[in-house]
């Protein structure tokens, strides 16, 4: 007589009792952006002061019948300062954009520079 013995084994798979927590930290770039923005605002304000001074000086010299070349040179200098500031700010914007924006920036800057240089030469 043969007896069949079936042995049932129950295997339990236990997962380790570890608790995974993910800590997310949010860094605020407000500090660096506020410093950058404050620098740009301050630079813009001082540029306006300088340009206003140059235009006021050229107006006073024009009223005093000083040579026309000095007046036009001061006005040209004031315009050049403003163009430099705007060119830097525009490049900071365009440099993060697609290639089309950078090409458009370069083309516009060349047009502006030629608009300044050509009347001086001609």
């Amino acid at each position: 007589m043969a007896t069949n013995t079936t042995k049932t084994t129950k295997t339990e798979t236990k997962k380790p009792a570890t608790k995974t927590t993910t800590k997310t930290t949010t860094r605020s770039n407000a500090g660096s952006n506020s410093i950058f923005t404050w620098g740009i605002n301050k630079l813009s304000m001082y540029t306006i002061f300088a340009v206003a001074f140059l235009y006021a000086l050229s107006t006073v010299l024009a009223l005093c019948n000083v040579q026309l070349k000095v007046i036009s040179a001061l006005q040209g200098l004031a315009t050049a300062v403003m163009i430099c500031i705007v060119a830097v700010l525009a490049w900071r914007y365009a440099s993060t954009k697609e290639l089309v924006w950078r090409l458009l920036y370069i083309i516009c800057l060349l047009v502006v520079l030629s608009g300044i240089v050509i009347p001086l030469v001609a």
Side-chain angles (χ1 to χ4, degrees), residues 47 77-90 105 109 113:
T47 302
L77 180 64
T79 304
V81 166
M82 286 194 297
I83 289 173
C84 288
I85 297 298
V86 169
V88 168
L89 295 177
Y105 168 81
L109 188 61
L113 292 177

Side-chain angles (χ1 to χ4, degrees), residues 65-109:
N65 291 327
V66 178
Q67 292 178 352
L68 187 61
K69 289 198 177 232
V70 173
I71 297 169
S72 65
L74 286 175
Q75 290 175 344
L77 180 64
T79 304
V81 166
M82 286 194 297
I83 289 173
C84 288
I85 297 298
V86 169
V88 168
L89 295 177
W91 177 249
R92 286 184 178 173
Y93 174 77
S95 66
T96 61
K97 299 295 180 186
E98 297 172 356
L99 180 64
V100 175
W101 284 97
R102 293 185 295 244
L103 290 175
L104 185 63
Y105 168 81
I106 291 170
I107 291 169
C108 289
L109 188 61

Side-chain angles (χ1 to χ4, degrees), residues 12-33:
E12 292 182 19
T13 309
K14 289 187 178 180
K15 292 184 179 177
T18 58
K19 188 174 182 182
T20 307
T21 57
T22 306
K23 187 176 182 182
T24 56
T25 50
T26 306
R27 254 190 181 167
S28 175
N29 290 334
S32 62
N33 286 340

